[in-house]
Amino acid sequence: MAALIRFMRHARLSYKAMFSMLQLKVYVLVMVLSPLSQLLFFSMLVRYIYQGEGLSGYIAANALLLCVMNSVFGMMTVIMSDRGMGTLPLVIVTPANKGLLFLARSVPHIMNGIVTACLGLLFGVLVFQITLSFSTFLLLVCIWLVSIFAACGLGLILASCSLWTPSMHLLANLLASTLLLLSGANYSLQVMPDWLRFIAQALPLTRGVELTKAIVGGRDVSQFAILLTEEFLLGCVFFLIGIVAMRYAEMIARRKGTMELS
């Protein structure tokens, strides 16, 4: 219990240290209005293309996709902020377990992603007047927790690149667009070529989107446990790769003297 309390305290303090400088209006513009405008655009688009068929599933799937702002850009900001403030060397030399340390730092972004996705779903319910039962909502939250965890793992791999390249915003936008296009949130994966479907299956959120659309659409979810387990294991693999990538990037940064920005 003491270890869990220490883990959560570190998660809260690291998030507060990194983002406490943000003003409320910046948070609302970046983390609320921008994601909602994205959901509105794609929901209107799929309603026009599919004539409203399965609209609830598409809206819920697009609400999940809003977590990309937290899982990709949020995780990238963790490392970039440490470099900018000159605290990254202190993080690197700490004797604490690096895996638990970065996992703790991802927790606020996972929770923030859940809040953003739920706001998006509420927005979609109000604007498009769709109905969801409370039990369906709870099931969606469980699926989204696992999916956003997996997406944050991929975000950690991307964050390790910030130690050796200045083009992080280019890479982050590229990854965010890839997740948006290949998740299947706005069309079926079956319309894509085989090689793109293969890439999509190796990315997080794909299974979360599939489960979200199936549950909201009332379709068969016999593979619920299998898909959710695959998404969780995928997230664990991404986190392990992210820790190894951080170790390698740290070694390169020490050699080149790029551990700090200033």
Side-chain angles (χ1 to χ4, degrees), residues 18-199:
M18 293 290 178
F19 299 96
S20 62
M21 78 292 288
L22 283 180
Q23 298 177 354
L24 179 60
K25 64 180 180 182
V26 176
Y27 182 87
V28 171
L29 284 171
V30 177
M31 304 303 290
V32 178
L33 293 184
S34 177
L36 293 187
S37 64
Q38 174 184 312
L39 182 136
L40 182 62
F41 172 78
F42 284 107
S43 298
M44 294 292 288
L45 185 65
V46 297
R47 187 172 72 168
Y48 173 76
I49 293 175
Y50 302 119
Q51 302 297 315
E53 184 179 352
L55 182 62
S56 302
Y58 287 111
I59 290 175
N62 276 284
L64 169 59
L65 261 293
L66 300 185
C67 76
V68 169
M69 183 66 73
N70 308 98
S71 57
V72 174
F73 293 92
M75 293 302 292
M76 177 189 75
T77 306
V78 167
I79 306 301
M80 291 188 67
S81 297
D82 265 333
R83 284 189 74 196
M85 292 187 291
T87 53
L88 186 58
L90 300 177
V91 174
I92 295 298
V93 300
T94 180
N97 184 295
K98 297 298 188 299
L100 289 177
L101 189 146
F102 285 111
L103 184 61
R105 289 177 152 211
S106 72
V107 169
H109 297 287
I110 295 173
M111 303 313 297
N112 211 355
I114 285 290
V115 171
T116 305
C118 289
L119 281 176
L121 183 61
L122 177 62
F123 179 73
V125 167
L126 294 176
V127 172
F128 295 94
Q129 299 182 339
I130 62 175
T131 56
L132 290 175
S133 66
F134 185 66
S135 58
T136 300
F137 172 73
L138 291 180
L139 207 52
L140 289 181
V141 171
C142 294
I143 296 168
W144 291 355
L145 268 173
V146 177
S147 293
I148 296 173
F149 163 75
C152 282
L154 185 58
L156 181 60
I157 297 175
L158 177 77
S160 68
C161 300
S162 65
L163 283 171
W164 54 267
T165 175
S167 305
M168 283 307 296
H169 287 285
L170 174 64
L171 295 177
N173 279 290
L174 181 63
L175 179 58
S177 299
T178 302
L179 291 175
L180 181 63
L181 291 173
L182 299 186
S183 66
N186 297 306
Y187 43 79
S188 171
L189 293 179
Q190 303 306 317
V191 303
M192 293 194 295
D194 291 341
W195 65 275
L196 272 182
R197 281 208 301 272
F198 177 78
I199 295 175

